[in-house]
Amino acid sequence: MKSKIYLIAFLAILFSCTGENQKGATVEISGTMKQNEIAGESTYATAVNIKDIFLLLPDDAFPEAISVANRKLLLNSIGEDKAYDISSTPIDVCDVKNGYLSLTGMQFGWEMCYWNLKDSRKLVAINNGTESGSEIRTFFYQNGKLTEDPNYRLGGNQNYKLTDFINVSQLSADTRKFAEKQFAKGDYAIYYKLPQTGTSIKVSIDAYQLMDYDEAREIPYEAIKEVTLKWNNEKWER
């Protein structure tokens, strides 16, 4: 009789311990999934996101070189004044859900984003704004490695016309003639805007620079347009 009692007690203890272990495992998985929800990823927390790719970029991808160690510090100091002690160009926006990150502290801006490809790679773009227009660099991410492709043309091969960027019907005859002359010479700067939401790129020109900074020929704001380059089936379309 005593043997039966001991056996029952032993089984009860064993079942209790097993149940606690199972509960602990469930909490751990739930915690991982919760981290994914915060990070905006649909898979486990080990899935790559914009922060990981930011850390993989070469130092010269930034307006001023930022080491990997300092980039890690910046990711932990977003929106804080102390970030400027780490770099003169700290992080402004880090949108993990939409795969977008930008820096602040410069006149023309710096941003990066990525597009998911069907073959599981990611197309990564960096847009460094300068006085002479956007400097674009493109990379492909796969299996923890980031490889630059200097031959990839972000937005595809586009033949732009002045009327893509300016509604010339709103210009005076003199202003229109001068704008057409400047554009024909290629005396203008093209700027890209990478998407924080969606997948399309916006392209524009500096209308003030186009007019050689002549206020007498200033193009009205209402006449300035953007070109939208749409990402459709992994190809760029207008």
Side-chain angles (χ1 to χ4, degrees):
M1 183 69 178
K2 289 183 179 181
S3 298
K4 290 182 179 179
I5 293 173
Y6 292 150
L7 178 60
I8 293 171
F10 174 75
L11 291 174
I13 294 172
L14 179 62
F15 179 79
S16 174
C17 293
T18 303
E20 289 180 1
N21 288 336
Q22 289 176 341
K23 183 179 179 181
T26 302
V27 170
E28 183 177 353
I29 293 173
S30 298
T32 304
M33 292 175 70
K34 186 174 182 180
Q35 289 176 12
N36 285 329
E37 291 172 3
I38 295 172
E41 295 287 342
S42 59
T43 55
Y44 290 113
T46 53
V48 67
N49 60 45
I50 195 69
K51 294 181 179 180
D52 302 309
I53 297 175
F54 176 66
L55 296 176
L56 289 173
L57 291 172
D59 290 353
D60 66 358
F62 306 96
E64 296 180 6
I66 309 175
S67 67
V68 174
N70 281 343
R71 277 177 253 168
K72 291 179 180 179
L73 294 175
L74 288 176
L75 286 170
N76 291 321
S77 308
I78 299 173
E80 300 180 15
D81 291 339
K82 67 178 182 180
Y84 285 94
D85 297 329
I86 303 168
S87 171
S88 61
T89 56
I91 296 172
D92 181 33
V93 175
C94 182
D95 186 344
V96 174
K97 180 179 179 180
N98 291 303
Y100 177 89
L101 186 147
S102 66
L103 303 180
T104 188
M106 66 211 76
Q107 182 178 356
F108 294 97
W110 184 100
E111 58 183 353
M112 67 178 291
C113 71
Y114 66 80
W115 292 260
N116 292 313
L117 303 180
K118 294 176 182 178
D119 61 5
S120 78
R121 295 183 301 162
K122 294 181 187 296
L123 169 62
V124 180
I126 294 172
N127 178 20
N128 180 32
T130 71
E131 187 175 306
S132 57
S134 286
E135 294 179 351
I136 302 292
R137 293 175 67 177
T138 54
F139 304 78
F140 287 95
Y141 171 88
Q142 186 175 34
N143 298 328
K145 295 182 180 180
L146 195 64
T147 304
E148 185 166 12
D149 185 350
N151 297 317
Y152 184 88
R153 190 172 182 84
L154 190 70
N157 294 314
Q158 304 292 335
N159 294 314
Y160 294 116
K161 300 178 294 183
L162 176 63
T163 51
D164 290 328
F165 303 107
I166 306 294
N167 183 352
V168 296
S169 66
Q170 297 189 35
L171 308 182
S172 67
D174 178 64
T175 299
R176 176 173 178 172
K177 183 177 180 180
F178 186 79
E180 290 173 341
K181 179 182 177 181
Q182 290 288 93
F183 196 87
K185 291 192 303 180
D187 197 0
Y188 58 91
I190 287 185
Y191 289 93
Y192 285 70
K193 180 68 182 76
L194 301 181
Q196 181 175 350
T197 58
T199 58
S200 299
I201 297 172
K202 300 288 186 179
V203 186
S204 61
I205 64 173
D206 185 339
Y208 192 42
Q209 181 203 45
L210 175 70
M211 305 310 290
D212 200 23
Y213 308 103
D214 185 351
E215 293 184 1
R217 293 190 174 110
E218 186 174 358
I219 295 176
Y221 177 79
E222 297 77 13
I224 300 173
K225 302 188 292 182
E226 290 181 328
V227 174
T228 299
L229 301 178
K230 299 178 181 179
W231 179 247
N232 184 19
N233 198 26
E234 302 191 355
K235 293 182 180 179
W236 296 105
E237 299 177 349
R238 292 175 66 173

